[in-house]
Coordinates of all heavy atoms in Angstrom, one line a residue:
V1 N -58.3 -76.8 -62.9 CA -57.5 -76.3 -64.0 C -57.8 -74.8 -64.0 O -58.9 -74.4 -64.0 CB -57.7 -77.0 -65.3 CG1 -57.1 -78.4 -65.3 CG2 -59.1 -76.9 -65.7
V2 N -56.7 -73.9 -64.1 CA -56.9 -72.5 -63.9 C -56.1 -71.8 -65.0 O -54.9 -72.1 -65.2 CB -56.4 -72.0 -62.5 CG1 -56.7 -70.6 -62.3 CG2 -57.0 -72.9 -61.4
Q3 N -56.7 -70.7 -65.5 CA -56.0 -69.9 -66.5 C -56.0 -68.4 -66.0 O -57.1 -67.9 -65.6 CB -56.8 -70.0 -67.8 CG -56.3 -69.2 -69.0 CD -57.2 -69.4 -70.2 OE1 -58.0 -70.3 -70.3 NE2 -57.1 -68.5 -71.2
L4 N -54.9 -67.8 -66.0 CA -54.8 -66.4 -65.7 C -55.3 -65.6 -66.9 O -54.8 -65.6 -68.0 CB -53.3 -66.0 -65.4 CG -53.1 -64.6 -64.9 CD1 -53.7 -64.3 -63.6 CD2 -51.6 -64.3 -64.9
T5 N -56.4 -64.8 -66.6 CA -57.0 -64.0 -67.7 C -56.9 -62.5 -67.5 O -57.3 -61.7 -68.3 CB -58.5 -64.4 -67.9 OG1 -59.2 -64.1 -66.7 CG2 -58.6 -65.8 -68.3
G6 N -56.3 -62.1 -66.4 CA -56.1 -60.7 -66.0 C -55.3 -60.5 -64.8 O -54.9 -61.5 -64.2
P7 N -54.9 -59.3 -64.4 CA -54.0 -59.1 -63.3 C -54.5 -59.8 -62.0 O -53.7 -60.3 -61.2 CB -53.9 -57.6 -63.2 CG -54.3 -57.1 -64.5 CD -55.3 -58.0 -65.1
D8 N -55.8 -59.8 -61.8 CA -56.4 -60.4 -60.6 C -57.7 -61.1 -61.0 O -58.7 -61.0 -60.3 CB -56.6 -59.3 -59.5 CG -55.3 -58.8 -58.9 OD1 -54.7 -59.6 -58.3 OD2 -55.0 -57.7 -59.1
R9 N -57.6 -61.8 -62.1 CA -58.8 -62.5 -62.6 C -58.3 -63.9 -63.1 O -57.4 -64.1 -63.9 CB -59.4 -61.7 -63.8 CG -60.8 -62.2 -64.2 CD -61.4 -61.1 -65.2 NE -62.7 -61.5 -65.6 CZ -63.8 -61.2 -64.9 NH1 -63.7 -60.5 -63.8 NH2 -65.0 -61.5 -65.3
L10 N -59.1 -64.9 -62.6 CA -58.7 -66.3 -62.9 C -59.9 -67.0 -63.5 O -61.1 -66.8 -63.1 CB -58.3 -67.1 -61.7 CG -57.1 -66.5 -60.9 CD1 -57.0 -67.2 -59.5 CD2 -55.8 -66.7 -61.7
R11 N -59.7 -67.8 -64.6 CA -60.8 -68.7 -65.1 C -60.5 -70.1 -64.7 O -59.4 -70.6 -64.8 CB -60.7 -68.6 -66.7 CG -61.6 -69.6 -67.4 CD -63.1 -69.2 -67.3 NE -63.9 -70.0 -68.1 CZ -64.6 -71.1 -67.6 NH1 -64.6 -71.4 -66.3 NH2 -65.4 -71.8 -68.4
M12 N -61.5 -70.7 -64.0 CA -61.3 -72.0 -63.4 C -62.4 -73.0 -63.8 O -63.5 -72.6 -63.9 CB -61.3 -71.9 -61.9 CG -61.1 -73.2 -61.2 SD -61.3 -73.1 -59.4 CE -63.1 -73.2 -59.2
R13 N -62.0 -74.2 -64.0 CA -62.9 -75.4 -64.2 C -62.5 -76.4 -63.1 O -61.3 -76.5 -62.7 CB -62.8 -76.0 -65.5 CG -63.3 -75.0 -66.6 CD -63.2 -75.7 -68.0 NE -64.1 -76.8 -68.1 CZ -63.9 -78.0 -68.8 NH1 -62.7 -78.1 -69.4 NH2 -64.8 -78.9 -68.8
V14 N -63.5 -77.1 -62.6 CA -63.2 -77.9 -61.4 C -63.8 -79.3 -61.5 O -64.9 -79.5 -62.0 CB -63.7 -77.2 -60.1 CG1 -65.2 -76.9 -60.2 CG2 -63.4 -78.0 -58.9
W15 N -63.1 -80.3 -61.0 CA -63.5 -81.7 -60.8 C -63.5 -81.8 -59.2 O -62.5 -81.7 -58.6 CB -62.6 -82.7 -61.4 CG -62.9 -84.1 -61.1 CD1 -62.5 -84.8 -60.0 CD2 -63.7 -85.0 -61.9 NE1 -63.0 -86.1 -60.0 CE2 -63.7 -86.2 -61.2 CE3 -64.3 -84.9 -63.1 CZ2 -64.4 -87.4 -61.7 CZ3 -65.0 -86.0 -63.6 CH2 -65.0 -87.2 -62.9
E16 N -64.7 -82.1 -58.7 CA -64.8 -82.3 -57.2 C -64.8 -83.8 -56.9 O -65.5 -84.6 -57.5 CB -66.1 -81.7 -56.7 CG -66.1 -80.2 -56.8 CD -67.2 -79.5 -56.0 OE1 -67.0 -79.5 -54.8 OE2 -68.2 -79.0 -56.6
R17 N -64.0 -84.1 -55.9 CA -63.9 -85.5 -55.4 C -65.2 -86.0 -55.0 O -66.0 -85.3 -54.3 CB -62.8 -85.6 -54.3 CG -63.2 -84.9 -53.0 CD -62.2 -85.3 -51.9 NE -62.7 -84.5 -50.7 CZ -62.2 -84.7 -49.5 NH1 -61.2 -85.6 -49.3 NH2 -62.7 -84.1 -48.4
G18 N -65.5 -87.2 -55.3 CA -66.8 -87.8 -54.9 C -68.0 -87.3 -55.7 O -69.1 -87.7 -55.4
T19 N -67.8 -86.3 -56.6 CA -69.0 -85.8 -57.3 C -68.7 -85.7 -58.8 O -69.5 -86.2 -59.6 CB -69.3 -84.4 -56.8 OG1 -69.7 -84.5 -55.5 CG2 -70.4 -83.7 -57.6
G20 N -67.6 -85.1 -59.3 CA -67.3 -85.0 -60.7 C -67.2 -83.5 -61.1 O -66.9 -82.6 -60.3
I21 N -67.4 -83.3 -62.4 CA -67.4 -81.9 -62.9 C -68.6 -81.1 -62.3 O -69.7 -81.6 -62.4 CB -67.4 -81.9 -64.4 CG1 -66.2 -82.5 -65.0 CG2 -67.5 -80.4 -64.9 CD1 -66.2 -82.7 -66.5
T22 N -68.3 -79.9 -61.8 CA -69.4 -79.0 -61.3 C -69.2 -77.7 -61.9 O -68.2 -77.3 -62.4 CB -69.3 -78.9 -59.7 OG1 -68.0 -78.4 -59.3 CG2 -69.5 -80.3 -59.1
L23 N -70.3 -76.9 -61.9 CA -70.4 -75.6 -62.5 C -69.6 -74.6 -61.7 O -69.2 -73.6 -62.2 CB -71.8 -75.1 -62.7 CG -72.6 -75.9 -63.7 CD1 -74.1 -75.3 -63.8 CD2 -72.0 -75.8 -65.1
A24 N -69.4 -74.9 -60.4 CA -68.7 -74.0 -59.5 C -68.3 -74.7 -58.2 O -68.9 -75.8 -57.9 CB -69.6 -72.8 -59.1
S25 N -67.4 -74.2 -57.5 CA -67.0 -74.8 -56.2 C -66.4 -73.7 -55.4 O -65.4 -73.0 -55.8 CB -65.9 -75.9 -56.4 OG -65.4 -76.3 -55.2
G26 N -66.9 -73.4 -54.2 CA -66.5 -72.4 -53.3 C -65.1 -72.7 -52.7 O -64.2 -71.8 -52.8
S27 N -64.9 -73.9 -52.2 CA -63.6 -74.2 -51.5 C -62.5 -74.2 -52.6 O -61.4 -73.8 -52.4 CB -63.7 -75.5 -50.8 OG -64.0 -76.6 -51.6
S28 N -62.9 -74.7 -53.8 CA -61.9 -74.7 -54.9 C -61.5 -73.3 -55.3 O -60.3 -73.1 -55.6 CB -62.5 -75.5 -56.1 OG -62.6 -76.9 -55.8
S29 N -62.5 -72.4 -55.3 CA -62.2 -71.0 -55.7 C -61.2 -70.4 -54.7 O -60.3 -69.7 -55.0 CB -63.5 -70.2 -55.8 OG -64.3 -70.7 -56.8
C30 N -61.4 -70.7 -53.4 CA -60.5 -70.3 -52.4 C -59.1 -70.8 -52.6 O -58.1 -70.1 -52.5 CB -61.1 -70.6 -51.0 SG -62.6 -69.8 -50.5
A31 N -59.1 -72.1 -52.9 CA -57.8 -72.8 -53.0 C -57.0 -72.2 -54.2 O -55.8 -72.0 -54.1 CB -58.0 -74.3 -53.2

């Protein structure tokens, strides 16, 4: 789930398959 907070700034929270909620995710950030 992603929220646009600036012209080139995104706030993201992530649920990773097979794991659950994580504090960060690199591949998710790329996606």
Side-chain angles (χ1 to χ4, degrees):
V1 291
V2 187
Q3 177 182 346
L4 181 67
T5 58
D8 290 293
R9 194 170 180 87
L10 301 170
R11 172 73 174 100
M12 180 186 83
R13 297 180 64 215
V14 58
W15 174 277
E16 292 196 72
R17 65 172 181 170
T19 296
I21 296 173
T22 58
L23 294 178
S25 169
S27 63
S28 290
S29 297
C30 294

